Amino acid sequence: MKIGLIGLGKMGANMAKRLLEGGHKVVGFDRDPQAVKRIVDDGNEGANSIDDLISKLPSPKIVWIMVPAGKPVDDTIDMLIPKLKPGDILIDGGNSYYRDSVRRAKKLADHGISMIDAGVSGGIWGLKEGYSMMVGGDSKAVNLMKPVFETLAPGKEKGWGHVGPSGSGHFVKMVHNGIEYGLMEAYAEGFELLKKKSEFDLDLHQIAEIWRFGSVVRSWLLDLTADALKKDQDLKGIAPFVADSGEGRWTALEAIELGVSLPVITQSLYERFSSQDAEEFGGRLLAMMRHEFGGHAVKEGK
């Protein structure tokens, strides 16, 4: 199968490699010519524009986009609509908001174009391990794309699935990322407590390695943690700033709308917000109040 791939960042480029290894051919386009060159060097085909990419695809044309969520996705779709025909398929493999995916699928359907929303997890390890994919959209289009999903996944019958109609793939991926926030926060808090118990002089890497085998808290995230702690238990040079890319916020908002209690996920999101606040005005205000009502000492800041 020949697929057009728009967006050749690290994940997009690795997906192109895995597809090529699985017997598929990719025609890739990116605004960065060097990104296009890299996939050409790997053995895939490059395009110098979206028009060029479309011209190199057989019908029905299959275009997979891997661009940042939000306006870039809408802009890319608006560019593609006049170039595609009824029966063609567009796949959004980025971390789009599921409500946007529902809207976009309807818009494309008005032109006879099928849209698949594929929530893709695996990051930079996907090339080696395979990608977990949560797929939403029309059954006919998904079935046509099954060989591609099977190639990208860890195995033909594992790590991917058609979860429901348009928007459901990105909805499931959104919840997946919310759970990820909670898991990461739990590991971070636990290892911080271990580190603070200075009289035991605990070896954090050793503990991570113990937990990796047989423990109920073993996971891939723990594997990555163990590897990082092996290199540097103090994590020197890494600022305590944790970004959030949107999915955690969307998960919390959905929970509020549906009246579902998600204390761990929402609190882990708030912890990320706290790490991003260089001014820490709330903390300063708390210190001031303690000083005002109780005369407690205030630590001078910058």
Side-chain angles (χ1 to χ4, degrees), residues 117 133-137 142 160-165 167-173:
D117 52 291
M133 288 170 293
M134 299 132 264
V135 179
V142 173
W160 83 278
H162 183 198
V163 299
S168 64
H170 282 151
F171 179 80
V172 174
K173 178 58 163 52

Side-chain angles (χ1 to χ4, degrees), residues 283-302:
R284 296 169 192 258
L285 190 63
L286 284 171
M288 179 276 295
M289 286 187 282
R290 288 184 76 245
H291 174 70
E292 291 297 322
F293 75 70
H296 301 286
V298 175
K299 188 174 182 179
E300 290 188 10
K302 295 179 181 179

Side-chain angles (χ1 to χ4, degrees), residues 122-162:
I124 60 174
W125 295 89
L127 175 60
K128 179 183 177 183
E129 305 289 341
Y131 297 91
S132 173
M133 288 170 293
M134 299 132 264
V135 179
D138 174 70
S139 294
K140 184 178 178 181
V142 173
N143 287 336
L144 185 65
M145 292 301 301
K146 187 175 180 181
V148 171
F149 295 135
E150 289 178 341
T151 297
L152 289 170
K156 282 190 175 184
E157 302 298 330
K158 62 181 181 181
W160 83 278
H162 183 198

Side-chain angles (χ1 to χ4, degrees), residues 69 95 173 177 180-181 242-250 269 272 276:
N95 281 326
K173 178 58 163 52
N177 283 26
E180 178 185 295
Y181 277 40
V242 188
D244 70 289
S245 54
E247 297 90 341
R249 300 185 189 207
W250 299 335
L269 175 64
R272 292 195 180 199
Q276 297 165 22

